[in-house]
Amino acid sequence: MFSVTPRETEKMRSTSPISFHCPEIAVFFDLAVESARGILRGFMRYIRLNAPWNVTFVSKTVNDVDPSSLENWFGDGILAHIPDLETLQVIYSKKCPTVLLAKNINDDIFGLPDFAMSPPPVFIRCDNAAIGRMAAHYFLEKNFQHFAYVAYSKDVCWCQERRRVFDEILSQRGLHVHHFLSPPEGIDWFLQREKLQQWISQLPKPVAILAANDFRGRQVLEVCHRMNLSVPYEVAVLGVDNDLPMCEMSYPSLSSIAIDWEKAGFLCAESLDSLMKGKKPTEKTYGPIQVVSRNSTEFFHISDKLVVQILEIIRIARGENLRVSDIVQQLPVSERSAQERFKKAVGHSIMEEIKQVRLKNICEWIEQTDLSFQEIAVSFGFENANHLGQLFKKELGITMGEYRKQKKGE
């Protein structure tokens, strides 16, 4: 078997212009969250387009981080989200090329002698100002007059940066932002929930709330549900990160600002590669892509609580096989009064709203599932796919098959 000694290998590295060394990379990430998975997709895309790296995952969730796991690791580079000061110190002690995402710890620690590091780490930062700006303009376009911000933790700077710019944009329009300042990370949610509930109850309605991230956004929705507050008619909620499971499984589904996580991961790998080659890359930023609108911000300026109640009933039922008489049975008014008040507030009849909601949900099923048209038809109360197909083509001008092909890019 062909083999070379360690000394011969080292000589090859120093004399050959082509490196046969596969870099050893340690990654500190919480793989349970969508942001980390998106970053890693971008990170791996860079690796696939360039030389291969051997990647070791030091942690699978933030609670699994064990700084001592690096004590016997001697590699070429580190990529990390920094969860705490102890982990940061261990990473610095390895004195190898390091890329860190954001400065979640106060800047003053980086001047301490204990943290001297060569080469110095490179930071890839999120453009939190752009997130705050996008959220403010999104709510302004929906003509809200009352605004609020729910922080994630008072200890992280990204949370403060998003709030600051959100405040600035709205204050320029003469609008005030109410703030819920969350305690430090680690405080039990059930202790916070009562305070958040009391705070939301005192907000002027309708109010548009920006949550610092999707985790907080989902908690706001939970509190609104406990208080019987209608979302989005009394409280509209917007999160950040667009974590799909968290947003889609919230009730109602949570609107969120999508972040370009894959770009962040690509920039991380690019910067780490430069560091390992002895170059000095500059700090880079990534930012938001768009607001992904879902039910939590589908807002109508409706002050009639009876109309809001009707809209809620239709949304919960998804328009499936729902009759106006079914709705009126749950209301303290006559069908005629309900119809008049609804049309005055919304601009069309209750039955038209039922049809619109049902058609919207049918479109989502056609686009997002592989169910047969017969299965979809039966699920929405139609006798067969032909009956649904005729209605679908009449409303949209194309067949269900054509619609599915268009949406799936076939």
Side-chain angles (χ1 to χ4, degrees):
M1 179 183 294
F2 176 76
S3 63
V4 294
T5 66
R7 185 174 181 180
E8 288 171 331
T9 301
E10 188 62 35
K11 184 177 180 181
M12 288 170 62
R13 290 181 190 167
S14 62
T15 59
S16 173
I18 300 175
S19 174
F20 296 97
H21 172 62
C22 182
E24 297 280 342
I25 309 299
V27 174
F28 276 83
F29 262 49
D30 181 358
L31 300 183
V33 297
E34 175 61 25
S35 57
R37 295 192 294 271
I39 290 168
L40 289 175
R41 285 194 294 270
F43 192 76
M44 300 311 294
R45 181 162 61 89
Y46 181 89
I47 295 174
R48 285 196 302 271
L49 293 174
N50 295 276
W53 294 350
N54 183 20
V55 178
T56 299
F57 294 102
V58 178
S59 61
K60 294 182 180 179
T61 71
V62 70
N63 294 324
D64 288 339
V65 172
D66 179 9
S68 65
S69 59
L70 272 187
E71 287 180 2
N72 297 316
W73 177 86
F74 300 95
D76 301 280
I78 295 174
L79 170 65
H81 257 140
I82 304 303
D84 54 51
L85 193 60
E86 180 187 5
T87 304
L88 180 66
Q89 191 165 9
V90 172
I91 289 172
Y92 272 32
S93 72
K94 305 311 292 185
K95 296 190 181 298
C96 69
T98 298
V99 171
L100 303 176
L101 277 105
K103 295 182 180 179
N104 289 341
I105 302 174
N106 293 334
D107 288 345
D108 56 5
I109 67 167
F110 297 101
L112 297 176
D114 290 345
F115 289 90
M117 184 176 180
S118 180
V122 170
F123 290 92
I124 306 299
R125 293 179 54 79
C126 181
D127 188 349
N128 292 298
I131 292 173
R133 191 177 304 114
M134 182 176 286
H137 287 303
Y138 176 75
F139 281 142
L140 286 170
E141 287 172 3
K142 291 182 173 290
N143 298 315
F144 279 96
Q145 296 299 312
H146 305 296
F147 305 87
Y149 180 81
V150 177
Y152 177 68
S153 169
K154 64 182 182 181
D155 293 339
V156 291
C157 65
W158 57 262
C159 187
Q160 298 165 14
E161 291 170 0
R162 293 173 188 181
R163 176 190 58 78
R164 177 179 55 80
V165 177
F166 185 66
D167 287 2
E168 286 178 358
I169 298 296
L170 295 172
S171 65
Q172 290 169 6
R173 308 289 183 94
L175 300 166
H176 175 69
V177 179
H178 302 266
H179 299 120
F180 181 78
L181 301 178
S182 298
E185 285 188 79
I187 301 298
D188 186 84
W189 158 239
F190 296 102
L191 296 177
Q192 295 185 53
R193 188 169 64 183
E194 296 304 319
K195 293 181 179 179
L196 181 59
Q197 182 170 321
Q198 183 180 6
W199 177 77
I200 290 177
S201 70
Q202 296 172 352
L203 294 175
K205 311 292 189 307
V207 61
I209 296 180
L210 172 62
N213 57 13
D214 291 337
F215 183 76
R216 276 288 179 263
R218 183 165 183 164
Q219 290 178 333
V220 171
L221 292 177
E222 177 188 333
V223 168
C224 289
H225 182 69
R226 284 169 54 88
M227 299 171 65
N228 292 318
L229 287 173
S230 176
V231 177
Y233 304 108
E234 293 180 277
V235 180
V237 186
L238 177 65
V240 180
D241 285 347
N242 197 36
D243 189 310
L244 290 180
M246 188 170 293
C247 292
E248 295 289 352
M249 294 181 70
S250 296
Y251 177 76
S253 58
L254 177 65
S255 297
S256 184
I257 296 177
I259 308 298
D260 199 346
W261 297 119
E262 292 198 21
K263 177 182 178 181
F266 194 90
L267 292 175
C268 287
E270 186 179 56
S271 296
L272 188 56
D273 197 13
S274 294
L275 280 173
M276 291 189 297
K277 290 176 179 177
K279 301 176 183 177
K280 186 178 180 182
T282 58
E283 290 190 8
K284 299 180 176 70
T285 61
Y286 59 95
I289 304 171
Q290 63 178 344
V291 175
V292 180
S293 292
R294 297 185 179 89
N295 290 336
S296 69
T297 57
E298 289 185 354
F299 178 77
F300 299 96
H301 286 278
I302 298 172
S303 58
D304 190 331
K305 289 188 177 294
L306 180 87
V307 175
V308 169
Q309 186 179 353
I310 295 172
L311 289 167
E312 283 285 286
I313 293 170
I314 295 172
R315 185 182 69 184
I316 292 170
R318 301 187 307 163
E320 294 180 26
N321 206 21
L322 187 64
R323 298 170 300 182
V324 175
S325 58
D326 298 326
I327 297 173
V328 174
Q329 286 178 1
Q330 304 179 53
L331 304 175
V333 297
S334 67
E335 181 173 335
R336 180 178 178 179
S337 177
Q339 291 277 24
E340 290 176 349
R341 289 167 65 173
F342 190 90
K343 189 166 186 178
K344 180 180 179 181
V346 179
H348 55 250
S349 69
I350 297 174
M351 180 50 68
E352 182 61 31
E353 182 69 19
I354 292 171
K355 290 178 179 179
Q356 288 183 14
V357 171
R358 182 171 59 179
L359 184 60
K360 177 185 176 183
N361 281 284
I362 289 169
C363 288
E364 289 179 352
W365 278 47
I366 293 172
E367 178 184 351
Q368 298 175 18
T369 77
D370 294 319
L371 292 173
S372 70
F373 298 141
Q374 177 65 23
E375 290 174 304
I376 294 174
V378 171
S379 177
F380 282 88
F382 293 88
E383 293 181 2
N384 53 59
N386 288 335
H387 186 195
L388 172 58
Q390 292 172 6
L391 174 66
F392 192 92
K393 187 169 183 179
K394 179 182 177 181
E395 294 293 329
L396 297 185
I398 59 175
T399 67
M400 292 187 290
E402 291 168 341
Y403 183 86
R404 178 170 274 174
K405 286 181 179 180
Q406 282 184 12
K407 292 300 181 178
K408 295 195 173 184
E410 297 176 359

